Amino acid sequence: MVFSSQIHHFSAPQGFNTAALLLLYTMTGKALGAKVSSFFDIPEKRVHAAGSSVISYACDPIHDDTGRSMKKVFYENTYQLDPPAKFRADKITPIIEGILQTNLEGRKYDPIECSLLSKSLSEEIKHRVKELNFKRYKTVCTVTIGQKNDQGVRIGSRYLWDHDRDNYAAASFHNKHIFAVGTVYAVYFE
């Protein structure tokens, strides 16, 4: 191994420790007042043209298979401000309770298994809610699973909400080892 050291003579500004500034210089390799990056130094590279690029129009909606331009479809405004059928929480709550009950009965808490299980339960609940065909509603479904260990838990959420059209349904499940809360939010999409 070869060690080399360079000593540069400089005077520290008033109020600064000369030894600290010399240490800073030796650590960074930069002189005082030099441009210092907080990330790392990136050498400038020039991009050279290499090859050619290919553009695919396989999924271009403007053209059909024959190469002709498709006509753009214009929709009339419906001016419909209320949904055809309102989201009914009383129909959704039994679905959430049933899915949580059948999938979580007798289970013990395992963090990895429960994280995957919460995603799959959320997808299953959302799929079953979409089968009820609440038109013009966007649904958001969350399932929270946790370990029962003599603690208190509060689960809350905040949304920008229209009280006349938007709604939610929630249900919970618990046994000796775990608790779960499933919530479905329905937001009317005008």
Side-chain angles (χ1 to χ4, degrees), residues 32-183:
L32 289 177
K35 181 180 174 184
V36 178
S37 173
S38 62
F39 293 108
F40 45 87
D41 292 328
I42 301 174
E44 289 187 29
K45 292 184 180 180
R46 301 271 180 196
V47 178
H48 300 288
S52 63
S53 61
V54 177
I55 299 173
S56 172
Y57 293 103
C59 298
D60 189 13
I62 299 173
H63 297 82
D64 61 3
D65 293 338
T66 61
R68 293 179 295 164
S69 294
M70 294 176 58
K71 293 183 180 179
K72 188 173 181 179
V73 178
F74 293 97
Y75 293 101
E76 292 288 325
N77 290 333
T78 62
Y79 301 106
Q80 181 178 359
L81 298 179
D82 290 326
K86 289 197 174 191
F87 182 83
R88 303 228 356 232
D90 59 331
K91 287 186 174 183
I92 306 302
T93 304
I95 293 173
I96 300 169
E97 288 173 348
I99 290 173
L100 293 178
Q101 181 75 28
T102 57
N103 290 298
L104 298 176
E105 188 65 39
R107 285 197 186 253
K108 291 187 176 182
Y109 183 77
D110 177 33
I112 296 171
E113 182 183 344
C114 286
S115 68
L116 298 173
L117 188 61
S118 69
K119 291 177 187 176
S120 66
L121 290 177
S122 176
E123 287 296 320
E124 185 178 347
I125 292 170
K126 186 165 70 168
H127 178 70
R128 294 270 304 274
V129 168
K130 285 189 176 189
E131 287 176 354
L132 295 177
N133 201 18
F134 290 108
K135 293 184 179 177
R136 301 183 76 160
Y137 275 100
K138 291 192 177 197
T139 56
V140 177
C141 181
T142 62
V143 175
T144 304
I145 301 174
Q147 183 179 16
K148 274 181 95 173
N149 201 11
D150 295 330
Q151 79 275 17
V153 175
R154 289 187 182 184
I155 297 172
S157 60
R158 290 184 179 184
Y159 287 95
L160 188 58
W161 202 257
D162 180 4
H163 289 284
D164 295 333
R165 296 174 188 94
D166 302 339
N167 204 350
Y168 76 98
S172 61
F173 168 84
H174 63 89
N175 63 16
K176 291 194 308 189
H177 305 288
I178 62 173
F179 70 90
V181 177
T183 310

